[in-house]
Amino acid sequence: MASKTLYSQRDPMLKRDCFEDILEERRNSSDLKYALRCYAPVLYKGVTPCKANMLKNIVLQSDQLHYVINQVSQESGEAPDIIQEEASVILEEMAHRLQISTVRCFAFALSKAFKTLFQHVCVNEEGIQRLQQAIQEHPVVLLPSHRSYMDFLLMSYILYTYDLALPVIAAGMDFMGMKFVGEMLRMSGAFFIRRSFGGDKLYWAVFSEYVKTMLRNGFAPIEFFLEGTRSRTCKSLTPKLGLLNIVIEPFFKGEVFDVNLVPVSISYERILEESLYARELLGVPKPKESTSGLLKARRILSEDYGSIHVYFGQPVSVRSLAQGKVNRSTYNLFPRHIPRKPMEETQSFVNDTAYRIVRLQEDNMVLKPWVLMASLLLQNLEGLELSVLTEQTVWLRGLALSYAAFLDWPDQAPTAKVVSSSLALHRGLACVSGDRVSLVVGEPLGPVTPEEALFNRAVSVLSCASYRNQVLHVFLRPAMLAVAMHTAASSKKSEWPGLYNCFSFLWDMFSNDFILCPGDTVQDFEEACYLLVKTGAVQMPQQDIVMTDIGQPTLSFFNGLLEPFLQGYQVVCRYLCEEASEGLTEKQYIPAVRSFAVKLILAGNLRCYEVLSSDMQKNALAALLRMDAVRKVKVADQVTLIVNKMAVNSIDDILGGKLPTQKALLARL
Amino acid sequence: PSLLLLLTLTKLTNCFLFSPRQEIMKWNGWGYSDSKFLFNKKGQAEFTGKRYRLSGMTLPSLQDWFENTFGASVKHKSPPVLNASVVPPPRLNEAFVENLKATGIPFSNEAEDRVFRAHGHCLHEIFALREGKKFERVPDMVVWPNCHNDVVKIVELACKHNVCLIPYGGGTSVTSALECPPEETRCIVSLDTSQMNRILWLDENNLVAHVEAGIIGQDLERLLNESGYCTGHEPDSMEFSSLGGWVATRASGMKKNVYGNIEDLVIHIKAVTPRGVIEKSCQGPRTSTGPDIHHFILGSEGTLGVVTEVTMKIRPIPEYQKYGSVVFPKFEAGVACLREVAKQRCAPASIRLMDNKQFHFGHALKPQVSSIFTHFVEGLKKFYITKLKGFDPHQLVVATLLFEGDRERVLQHEKQVYDIAATFGGLAAGEDNGQRGYLLTFVIAYLRDLGMDYCVVAESFETSVPWDRVLDLCQNVKERIIRECKERGVQFQPLTSCRVTQTYDSGACIYFYFAFNYRGLADPVHTYEQVEHAAREEILANGGSLSHHHGVGKLRKEWMKDSISNVGVGMLKSVKEYVDPENIFGNRNLL
């Protein structure tokens, strides 16, 4: 049943492009000249670029906006003029003011900065050529992965380097707090949107019309982050659909012939925000974006952050994606300028598209050897011998490659060299003492309480996990099957229907933590089987899935890989069953789980530090909510969590391998 | 009279008398045999014959335009095969033939007569004729009723003997409506209405005329003109299409802004169905008597019966007619202007907006200029528009206008329209350009034959769409065509051109031309059909209708359900079920 065709269907472009280092030329020629050089990009169908002010006028005069202004005016009783004025203020606050001079400043400054921070900035030039072609033919939406503040500056920098049209970028309003920098970003093409404007019709109308106007006319490529925010864990985040809906709608309404979505994968060898993220996940709140904060970050400049790889994926045509899935003529009976909630058919299409794009981003993420080493170190928290680590890394490399991971492994260098240079670059995370390699535990400043020591250790575990997480998308499906097999082994059942049930339970459970396209359970299961069979870890005689003699290391590595997630979710379940009080509010949930876990760890009953991550806690809760084991109830201003203890308890048992995943049981949940 | 003469007469009757048009018209192309485009020995295009304004003229720029547009060459000829195709033998229903003979209504089962009525003017039909390909099914015989009562008799006999009837008027269908269903095993009789071509009476008090439905457009107009009247109904096919055909397809005329479309023009329809004759009891100008039964007949495409007589509105011939034209810097500006004209309800008898491609196409049809002076004036005009006014010759578009009425009113009206045009950046560009624009529509089908002589296939199709979607629809359909051609291996850039050809209060009718050079393709017709199919899907996805005036026929049947809903199809089916339970009118159009 594991069919090769299905797997290859998902990823027809396994052959990937080569990279060029764009810093190389920067190191050999004048940055000033580069910043001042002639820049004349080609636009969509040769349109002339639109001045920021003209763009605002088009938006303010659009039928779409007028309709909403009148509607709001009727509802609120305010005169339309006043609402119109409000719209104009919103637009003023939002709109970009792209100026080539600012871009040139950035080009100069970033050249300097990149050269000190990074060894290489590598770009696939074939992707750039495809993009250039796409920009001329269709409105283009750039969808980069989001791991760092650097992302969007980096994107604009690359496009400038290759003489491509500079994108306009949707940025969160928090950036605007940074006085001077905010304006600089605005002038380099950022436009700012409020984080939440749920019920604000006028805001939504201005915002969506602004984006659509730019898209319809092809004035500039639109860029935004599908994940909505920087991923603190380096796992891809569940995509947000708001902006994607906006940029796709003009196609459904026939306002443009097609829209091209270009997934861009930006992989950092070392993330600037590495330990910052770990602290944030542990509950030290994120520092507010401020210019002075940025200056303090100057310390960063003295460190080596390795290389960046930016991979521009194959442009995805919305038209071809929608073929046979969305009937555009359903838009015929409603005036196009009146805002309307997308139909169910459209919603599920957009959702599906978003997931596929994020998976395309994942596919083209470049993985460094360190990522493999981090995965191994996390399974050996007490440390392991350098020679063993080296040997296992080489083994894991083979496994990753046979699973089509996009691994950037230096070809010529001997393995020992690769391992040691990886360790050197990440000396903040791992240290070699004698011939043992272990995770660094944050250096204690004076006397520390057991809690502080624990948090220090947690910081390095979570930092390290952020590297392991980068490889999860490669191993996830077979790993879930491995866990399912492990669970089944205790109940002596290995026929695939039972395994499938278990797999699908895990799939469902983890679908907030990982990118699992809705409705793809069967396909993912088949892919998992196919991959495990392919590497000889399992055999599938008839209805069974049986581990082979050589499969042991693979399967146990996979079990170890997902162990932190299984344990983490179980801790959450246990907390909800054992400790949670009646009126537990949503706000209290995270700190409460955290202190519950801290207690367990200090008592020596738990060795899993990752459960301290607020990300995992949130995802676990989301899964339980989805499975109806927990309900949210709004009381006054507070959202309270109502726990169905029996249901949570049985989920805990299944995760712990104590209960088979029987349909009947799941149905009762 | 001697017996000999009588015999001769009978023979004439069978061969010529009842089909004089057949004798002067091409059997494998459009229009009159004497009129065609060709490239003469000097390599210049000329239009033969004497019937049209262009006839006998040389068109010096047509060859360049043709070669540049299609990447075609006059060296690559693809002339029609001369021997007519093999015709399957007639399947006659002997009893029906016997009974028919007794009525004295003329009929024929000559191969030539049958093939002539086996097709319309779709690309695949004409292509097959030119290539000498065999038609799978053609009518087994042709009958020529002379009046309403003849039709009643034929329909009665057809019902009695279970014979399939396919009404035939002018034969200008472009929807495969005249194609005989290949699965039809009964005897198929083509009912040619051409002998029912009289104006039976004319009522000047009420300004209506009662006309037999077989009359051809240009004859109707000429005959009415003799009495000082006109119908004003001028579809582009009016030289060859018939009144009954207009009714059966919901035709639309160029001057509908003044006179209305066919459904506005008819006052009374008499039609013969297997259930009997359907007609109304009075000629009241409007009635509230339930759903209008005329609307079962209008657009029925020969599936319910034969239209035999129509009472139609007439108007005095307008005192004054004036062509005009306006150039706009861009298509968008032109559309905005037409929209405004429609909004102010001041559209002239005809107003059309041709896109840039069609503008150049029109220009390629300019006859040789006779004097240096004209040449000079033309040059000046061009200089004024492109240099002084800064119009990009690859962007500018032209609207053609036709005003009708009394002189004073026409001039006033003209000013109003030009004033509106000016606010959209339009510049008046003379009567000549306007008139040439309309000429194009009458010779376009002849040009298709020329194209087919040189490996170029071409077709037109139309739709109607709300105003706000006009631009997007034009844009997307053209792009879709270009893409589909590329994907299907068409080696040369296709020509895609459109015009806004009618305006309404809430929308417009868009007319597309689509042509490509098929050299290197194994089955150009199939490729063409795939592209047209994709183009129609694009139209529907962009809010366009399935058809504005060509009809559905068999070509667009597959989209009927989506277009009018299941219930809608059910309603039509139940009417068919009642009126024609035996499917005597078995052309299988529409449903």
Side-chain angles (χ1 to χ4, degrees):
Chain A
M1 68 166 298
S3 74
K4 197 173 177 172
T5 48
L6 262 181
Y7 179 57
S8 49
Q9 238 172 32
R10 187 181 68 78
D11 190 5
M13 288 298 300
L14 266 184
K15 197 188 161 302
R16 288 154 174 139
D17 307 336
C18 303
F19 284 105
E20 288 294 324
D21 180 6
I22 58 168
L23 281 193
E24 203 171 287
E25 206 196 317
R26 291 291 89 257
R27 295 194 206 276
N28 298 324
S29 65
S30 154
D31 288 335
L32 195 63
K33 246 194 200 161
Y34 161 77
L36 293 176
R37 82 199 160 84
C38 168
Y39 168 74
V42 200
L43 284 178
Y44 171 60
K45 289 189 172 156
V47 294
T48 41
C50 175
K51 287 259 159 23
N53 269 332
M54 202 174 106
L55 179 64
K56 282 182 206 164
N57 281 336
I58 300 178
V59 175
L60 287 175
Q61 281 159 17
S62 66
D63 293 345
Q64 285 81 348
L65 196 53
H66 274 202
Y67 181 84
V68 175
I69 285 172
N70 286 331
Q71 202 182 23
V72 171
S73 152
Q74 268 165 22
E75 283 166 13
S76 67
E78 291 273 16
D81 294 355
I82 295 172
I83 313 279
Q84 170 93 26
E85 193 47 43
E86 262 176 57
S88 169
V89 171
I90 295 173
L91 191 58
E92 201 59 39
E93 175 194 84
M94 183 181 318
H96 76 82
R97 275 198 300 277
L98 185 61
Q99 268 183 358
I100 188 64
S101 55
T102 316
V103 174
R104 291 184 193 280
C105 285
F106 267 112
F108 182 75
L110 288 177
S111 295
K112 297 283 180 217
F114 285 165
K115 281 189 282 188
T116 31
L117 285 171
F118 304 108
Q119 294 165 16
H120 310 283
V121 173
C122 300
V123 177
N124 65 325
E125 290 195 341
E126 282 163 68
I128 294 281
Q129 278 158 19
R130 289 191 295 256
L131 176 61
Q132 187 168 25
Q133 187 68 31
I135 286 176
Q136 288 171 49
E137 286 176 3
H138 299 292
V140 162
V141 180
L142 291 166
L143 299 168
S145 58
H146 203 11
R147 301 287 173 270
S148 167
Y149 275 142
M150 293 292 302
D151 291 329
F152 83 74
L153 288 176
L154 181 65
M155 284 289 291
S156 298
Y157 182 83
I158 292 170
L159 296 184
Y160 172 80
T161 303
Y162 285 102
D163 214 21
L164 288 177
L166 287 172
V168 287
I169 308 127
M173 198 68 113
D174 22 8
F175 271 117
M176 244 183 37
M178 307 159 80
K179 276 263 157 47
F180 175 67
V181 176
E183 285 314 298
M184 284 289 279
L185 294 178
R186 200 191 276 283
M187 287 189 281
S188 61
F191 64 94
F192 295 100
I193 37 179
R194 298 179 190 160
R195 281 273 172 216
S196 57
F197 46 90
D200 192 339
K201 249 188 224 172
L202 186 65
Y203 192 88
W204 177 260
V206 174
F207 165 54
S208 69
E209 195 47 32
Y210 181 65
V211 175
K212 283 183 201 168
T213 304
M214 291 190 287
L215 182 102
R216 280 194 288 254
N217 296 293
F219 291 141
I222 314 278
E223 176 181 317
F224 64 90
F225 299 104
L226 262 182
E227 297 165 282
T229 181
R230 291 168 300 149
S231 163
R232 271 66 167 172
T233 57
C234 279
K235 276 184 291 143
S236 295
L237 303 178
T238 306
K240 303 273 182 295
L241 304 182
L243 255 164
L244 193 63
N245 257 314
I246 291 178
V247 297
I248 286 182
E249 200 181 58
F251 165 71
F252 288 138
K253 288 188 172 172
E255 294 163 343
V256 293
F257 184 76
D258 197 356
V259 174
N260 273 353
L261 308 177
V262 180
V264 182
S265 315
I266 307 177
S267 343
Y268 295 88
E269 185 166 13
R270 246 191 95 191
I271 291 160
L272 296 160
E273 294 99 327
E274 177 183 282
S275 65
L276 214 64
Y277 284 162
R279 281 170 213 287
E280 216 180 288
L281 290 172
L282 289 168
V284 186
K286 134 180 172 189
K288 215 171 175 228
E289 279 84 355
S290 70
T291 309
S292 60
L294 195 81
L295 290 176
K296 267 181 223 148
R298 255 185 348 167
R299 190 177 60 90
I300 292 175
L301 284 174
S302 56
E303 289 203 34
D304 179 2
Y305 286 90
S307 317
I308 304 178
H309 286 84
V310 183
Y311 195 97
F312 288 84
Q314 198 71 240
V316 175
S317 146
V318 171
R319 175 177 274 266
S320 345
L321 277 187
Q323 180 94 44
K325 292 196 190 126
V326 179
N327 180 4
R328 282 185 290 157
S329 57
T330 46
Y331 286 81
N332 289 349
L333 295 177
F334 208 80
R336 294 189 294 176
H337 65 277
I338 299 180
R340 210 174 153 214
K341 211 167 165 265
M343 279 160 288
E344 211 167 292
E345 185 184 57
T346 318
Q347 269 174 349
S348 82
F349 169 76
V350 172
N351 190 38
D352 206 50
T353 304
Y355 272 88
R356 308 230 166 244
I357 296 285
V358 176
R359 280 205 74 188
L360 288 172
Q361 287 175 353
E362 285 184 335
D363 280 344
N364 291 323
M365 283 289 206
V366 170
L367 306 176
K368 286 293 194 173
W370 169 250
V371 166
L372 305 178
M373 292 161 65
S375 315
L376 293 165
L377 280 170
L378 278 175
Q379 295 191 29
N380 300 276
L381 282 179
E382 66 295 337
L384 72 178
E385 275 177 37
L386 183 58
S387 57
V388 178
L389 177 64
T390 310
E391 185 192 319
Q392 290 200 7
T393 306
V394 171
W395 168 80
L396 190 52
R397 174 190 176 217
L399 191 66
L401 285 178
S402 63
Y403 286 5
F406 197 0
L407 196 58
D408 181 41
W409 188 285
D411 281 330
Q412 271 82 33
T415 319
K417 182 89 190 303
V418 173
V419 170
S420 67
S421 66
S422 298
L423 285 169
L425 188 72
H426 296 279
R427 60 181 171 274
L429 289 181
C431 62
V432 192
S433 53
D435 57 356
R436 272 193 94 72
V437 184
S438 56
L439 285 191
V440 169
V441 180
E443 63 270 37
L445 302 160
V448 286
T449 61
E451 278 90 356
E452 279 169 334
L454 181 144
F455 269 91
N456 277 337
R457 185 152 178 79
V459 167
S460 36
V461 171
L462 289 188
S463 302
C464 202
S466 76
Y467 290 95
R468 175 212 56 204
N469 286 346
Q470 295 178 27
V471 81
L472 280 179
H473 70 89
V474 177
F475 293 137
L476 177 65
R477 289 157 187 83
M480 286 198 297
L481 182 55
V483 172
M485 288 174 69
H486 185 75
T487 314
S490 50
S491 59
K492 302 275 180 238
K493 277 188 177 173
S494 65
E495 318 98 323
W496 71 260
L499 284 179
Y500 175 76
N501 278 346
C502 185
F503 179 90
S504 117
F505 171 80
L506 291 170
W507 193 98
D508 205 16
M509 196 78 212
F510 288 142
S511 57
N512 289 78
D513 248 310
F514 308 113
I515 301 302
L516 296 163
C517 301
D520 270 5
T521 323
V522 174
Q523 198 182 322
D524 283 343
F525 181 69
E526 289 182 348
E527 187 185 316
C529 295
Y530 166 72
L531 287 175
L532 284 181
V533 171
K534 183 185 165 195
T535 46
V538 300
Q539 283 175 339
M540 294 176 55
Q542 279 122 38
Q543 290 272 290
D544 287 351
I545 299 178
V546 187
M547 184 170 80
T548 61
D549 302 339
I550 56 159
Q552 167 63 29
T554 308
L555 294 186
S556 82
F557 170 76
F558 283 160
N559 271 298
L561 196 64
L562 290 188
E563 185 62 29
F565 295 91
L566 291 165
Q567 279 198 19
Y569 278 53
Q570 278 176 274
V571 171
V572 170
C573 290
R574 225 167 299 151
Y575 164 74
L576 290 173
C577 289
E578 294 166 15
E579 292 264 313
S581 57
E582 272 297 289
L584 176 72
T585 63
E586 202 182 9
K587 267 195 193 135
Q588 294 163 337
Y589 165 78
I590 284 181
V593 176
R594 186 182 298 132
S595 56
F596 177 72
V598 167
K599 254 193 296 176
L600 286 178
I601 296 173
L602 286 179
N605 295 332
L606 180 68
R607 300 190 55 214
C608 172
Y609 287 84
E610 287 186 50
V611 70
L612 295 172
S613 154
S614 56
D615 181 63
M616 186 178 289
Q617 293 155 1
K618 280 181 205 155
N619 290 335
L621 179 61
L624 294 172
L625 284 166
R626 197 157 17 82
M627 295 171 142
D628 279 337
V630 177
R631 276 183 307 124
K632 275 188 191 179
V633 175
K634 200 165 177 186
V635 185
D637 286 347
Q638 301 265 350
V639 178
T640 319
L641 301 175
I642 310 284
V643 182
N644 175 347
K645 292 202 173 167
M646 208 167 76
V648 173
N649 210 351
S650 48
I651 289 175
D652 183 18
D653 285 346
I654 299 170
L655 287 171
K658 286 180 217 147
L659 269 182
T661 44
Q662 271 158 11
K663 283 252 163 80
L665 179 81
L666 284 172
R668 198 147 45 86
L669 293 182
Chain B
S2 74
L3 187 66
L4 187 71
L5 188 64
L6 210 76
L7 274 175
T8 324
L9 258 179
T10 326
K11 192 165 188 292
L12 271 175
T13 308
N14 272 342
C15 304
F16 301 114
L17 253 180
F18 297 112
S19 51
R21 289 173 66 239
Q22 194 175 330
E23 294 308 306
I24 54 167
M25 290 178 69
K26 294 195 195 82
W27 63 273
N28 64 351
W30 178 261
Y32 299 107
S33 303
D34 57 17
S35 303
K36 64 187 277 194
F37 284 95
L38 50 83
F39 290 117
N40 62 23
K41 295 216 173 70
K42 277 184 270 172
Q44 281 192 325
E46 61 177 75
F47 192 47
T48 63
K50 293 192 182 115
R51 296 173 186 272
Y52 298 88
R53 212 169 71 118
L54 273 185
S55 297
M57 295 203 189
T58 43
L59 313 161
S61 32
L62 187 59
Q63 188 191 338
D64 272 354
W65 176 85
F66 182 74
E67 297 196 330
N68 292 336
T69 306
F70 297 108
S73 159
V74 292
K75 290 191 197 100
H76 296 118
K77 287 203 76 170
S78 52
V81 176
L82 281 179
N83 51 333
S85 45
V86 198
V87 180
R91 305 177 197 182
L92 294 179
N93 181 320
E94 293 303 335
F96 174 79
V97 175
E98 280 312 307
N99 281 205
L100 188 65
K101 268 186 192 155
T103 63
I105 299 169
F107 65 90
S108 155
N109 45 40
E110 297 286 329
E112 227 171 277
D113 295 330
R114 288 160 54 217
V115 171
F116 193 82
R117 286 159 188 80
H119 64 85
H121 281 269
C122 283
L123 178 76
H124 67 269
E125 295 168 324
I126 299 301
F127 203 89
L129 285 170
R130 289 172 57 97
E131 301 276 293
K133 297 241 172 72
K134 188 178 163 181
F135 279 101
E136 226 179 299
R137 191 79 172 90
V138 303
D140 299 301
M141 57 190 285
V142 182
V143 291
W144 285 275
N146 193 41
C147 61
H148 171 79
N149 285 337
D150 282 356
V151 176
V152 173
K153 284 180 205 155
I154 295 169
V155 173
E156 271 170 7
L157 287 179
C159 293
K160 186 173 161 201
H161 300 289
N162 195 20
V163 157
C164 171
L165 289 178
I166 297 185
Y168 181 90
T172 55
S173 151
V174 284
T175 58
S176 302
L178 289 168
E179 252 173 46
C180 298
E183 67 272 26
E184 181 58 75
T185 52
R186 297 173 295 181
C187 167
I188 300 179
V189 176
S190 176
L191 191 154
D192 185 320
T193 58
S194 60
Q195 304 315 303
M196 302 162 45
N197 57 5
R198 286 152 295 221
I199 296 177
L200 296 177
W201 47 256
L202 203 141
D203 176 354
E204 290 176 274
N205 291 323
N206 297 309
L207 286 178
V208 292
H210 190 67
V211 190
E212 288 183 310
I215 195 164
I216 299 300
Q218 59 172 331
D219 299 336
L220 173 62
E221 223 50 19
R222 196 188 59 244
L223 291 172
L224 286 174
N225 285 177
E226 284 167 11
S227 326
Y229 293 98
C230 66
T231 62
H233 184 70
E234 294 184 15
D236 291 352
S237 61
M238 69 173 290
E239 292 172 281
F240 308 109
S241 56
S242 68
L243 171 55
W246 299 339
V247 171
T249 56
R250 296 181 63 89
S252 169
M254 179 180 105
K255 300 194 287 194
K256 72 95 191 154
N257 293 337
V258 174
Y259 300 96
N261 287 317
I262 194 70
E263 67 273 19
D264 311 310
L265 285 165
V266 294
I267 291 296
H268 185 266
I269 298 171
K270 187 144 101 179
V272 182
T273 76
R275 275 278 170 191
V277 175
I278 177 172
E279 62 179 324
K280 291 188 187 176
S281 67
C282 71
Q283 295 183 24
R286 182 186 186 271
T287 55
S288 172
T289 46
D292 190 341
I293 53 155
H294 280 166
H295 284 281
F296 289 125
I297 308 296
L298 284 156
S300 61
E301 303 192 1
T303 57
L304 299 179
V306 194
V307 180
T308 53
E309 289 170 18
V310 176
T311 310
M312 211 179 167
K313 294 184 199 169
I314 54 170
R315 300 288 306 164
I317 297 175
E319 173 195 308
Y320 188 61
Q321 238 193 5
K322 193 176 181 191
Y323 286 98
S325 67
V326 183
V327 282
F328 294 95
K330 275 183 153 181
F331 192 61
E332 287 83 342
V335 171
C337 173
L338 263 63
R339 202 279 160 269
E340 185 59 31
V341 166
K343 197 188 249 173
Q344 297 192 20
R345 292 199 171 165
C346 63
S350 169
I351 178 167
R352 288 175 170 179
L353 180 75
M354 307 202 226
D355 71 356
N356 184 263
K357 293 260 177 60
Q358 217 163 116
F359 169 73
H360 287 290
F361 190 4
H363 261 249
L365 292 177
K366 267 194 178 175
Q368 193 137 37
V369 246
S370 36
S371 74
I372 294 190
F373 179 71
T374 349
H375 199 80
F376 177 71
V377 171
E378 288 292 313
L380 261 188
K381 264 195 225 157
K382 198 173 164 189
F383 177 79
Y384 174 71
I385 287 177
T386 59
K387 292 293 181 308
L388 292 186
K389 285 290 169 181
F391 283 23
D392 176 354
H394 299 291
Q395 296 265 320
L396 64 83
V397 298
V398 61
T400 59
L401 310 165
L402 174 61
F403 297 91
E404 271 191 13
D406 59 72
R407 199 183 143 84
E408 200 122 312
R409 290 257 287 280
V410 163
L411 296 178
Q412 215 180 340
H413 193 178
E414 193 186 21
K415 185 175 178 307
Q416 187 188 6
V417 172
Y418 282 118
D419 284 350
I420 294 174
T423 62
F424 294 92
L427 292 175
E431 290 182 58
D432 193 48
N433 273 322
Q435 200 168 3
R436 194 169 31 251
Y438 291 102
L439 180 75
L440 181 66
T441 60
F442 282 100
V443 299
I444 188 81
Y446 287 106
L447 278 164
R448 177 168 85 174
D449 288 341
L450 176 74
M452 286 205 273
D453 284 340
Y454 296 93
C455 306
V456 170
V457 285
E459 185 69 288
S460 58
F461 50 89
E462 41 74 26
T463 185
S464 55
V465 63
W467 277 114
D468 74 312
R469 282 177 172 270
V470 167
L471 285 175
D472 292 329
L473 181 131
C474 293
Q475 173 95 27
N476 290 342
V477 171
K478 286 181 187 178
E479 178 131 14
R480 180 77 183 262
I481 290 175
I482 291 170
R483 262 153 206 281
E484 293 284 337
C485 281
K486 207 166 163 189
E487 270 168 38
R488 297 178 196 288
V490 176
Q491 313 274 313
F492 303 87
Q493 179 87 1
L495 167 74
T496 60
S497 168
C498 68
R499 67 168 180 263
V500 180
T501 202
Q502 288 290 10
T503 63
Y504 292 87
D505 286 352
S506 71
C509 167
I510 317 284
Y511 205 92
F512 288 93
Y513 290 141
F514 157 44
F516 63 83
N517 180 342
Y518 64 78
R519 275 174 56 217
L521 289 182
D523 189 350
V525 170
H526 181 61
T527 306
Y528 164 77
E529 282 171 345
Q530 286 177 314
V531 178
E532 192 195 333
H533 189 271
R536 182 56 60 181
E537 300 227 291
E538 194 61 34
I539 286 175
L540 298 175
N542 281 274
S545 63
L546 191 52
S547 172
H548 170 264
H549 59 271
H550 281 175
V552 175
K554 289 180 269 291
L555 194 61
R556 286 184 272 274
K557 261 165 90 163
E558 63 179 290
W559 290 292
M560 271 302 269
K561 206 176 63 175
D562 289 341
S563 292
I564 64 168
S565 84
N566 279 327
V567 177
V569 170
M571 289 166 93
L572 296 187
K573 273 193 177 147
S574 66
V575 169
K576 167 82 178 172
E577 189 60 31
Y578 172 76
V579 172
D580 183 15
E582 299 302 320
N583 195 27
I584 295 302
F585 288 89
N587 60 18
R588 308 206 184 189
N589 290 337
L590 220 52
L591 294 173

